[in-house]
Amino acid sequence: AERIIGSPILAFEKSKIDCETGEKILFSWWLAGRERPGERREETLVDILDEGDHIDVVMELLGVQEEDILLKMGKDKLTISANTLNKKYHEEISLPAEVNTGEFTKKYNNNILEVRLEKLTNCSLKTTGQR
C-alpha cells in the first residue's frame, strides 16, 4: 500500500496496555489514519447550519458542565468559551448572516451544545418611488 498509494492501510503495534481495561494486549492493529484506541482528538467539532429564518450552531464540548459555558454574540459572530480545571475551549465562529443578539436558545446535553440564533430581517429597508 505504501508503494501504490503512498501510505500504509494498516498500522500494527506489539504489546500494549489497553486504556479501557488495563489488560496487556499482545498485538493490536487498526486502519491507518483513524483514531487509535485510547487516543483523543484535540480539534473541536463545530457545525453551522443556515436554516432560513435562523442559524443553528452545534458544537462538541467534552468534559464541561453547562454552567461553564459562556456565549458572546455579535451581529455576525458567535464566541463560545468554556473553562474547567482540565479543559479550555475558545471558538470564534463567523456566522453566514446577521443575527438578533437578543433572540437565541441554548441547549447542552451529552457534551453537545446547540445554539439557535434568529436572523435579522430587512423589514426596515423599503424602497421609495420618485416622481
Side-chain angles (χ1 to χ4, degrees):
E2 286 185 65
R3 188 170 28 109
I4 295 171
I5 62 173
S7 63
I9 295 174
L10 297 177
F12 179 79
E13 189 171 299
K14 280 175 100 175
S15 186
K16 179 180 174 179
I17 303 295
D18 184 351
C19 296
E20 293 180 16
T21 64
E23 295 178 17
K24 185 175 183 178
I25 301 172
L26 294 180
F27 62 90
S28 161
W29 64 271
W30 55 90
L31 293 175
R34 299 278 176 115
E35 188 176 302
R36 296 178 186 174
E39 287 185 354
R40 304 285 304 186
R41 65 185 178 290
E42 292 300 319
E43 63 190 47
T44 303
L45 300 177
V46 179
D47 281 332
I48 303 164
L49 308 165
D50 190 337
E51 300 291 342
D53 62 341
H54 66 275
I55 297 170
D56 287 331
V57 177
V58 181
M59 181 175 176
E60 180 183 50
L61 292 171
L62 299 173
V64 301
Q65 301 295 320
E66 186 169 7
E67 56 270 11
D68 298 327
I69 300 169
L70 177 66
L71 301 178
K72 183 178 176 187
M73 280 177 259
K75 286 189 178 186
D76 61 353
K77 182 168 62 169
L78 172 65
T79 304
I80 301 172
S81 56
N83 292 322
T84 68
L85 294 174
N86 300 324
K87 290 282 188 178
K88 289 188 180 199
Y89 293 97
H90 184 84
E91 292 287 331
E92 288 188 5
I93 300 165
S94 295
L95 301 171
E98 289 187 357
V99 296
N100 182 348
T101 58
E103 292 288 323
F104 72 94
T105 59
K106 173 182 85 166
K107 294 180 190 174
Y108 184 67
N109 191 22
N110 293 329
N111 296 315
I112 303 295
L113 173 67
E114 297 179 41
V115 181
R116 175 173 281 196
L117 305 158
E118 298 300 321
K119 286 185 181 179
L120 285 177
T121 59
N122 292 329
C123 294
S124 60
L125 300 175
K126 294 183 180 179
T127 55
T128 57
Q130 294 182 4
R131 293 185 181 189

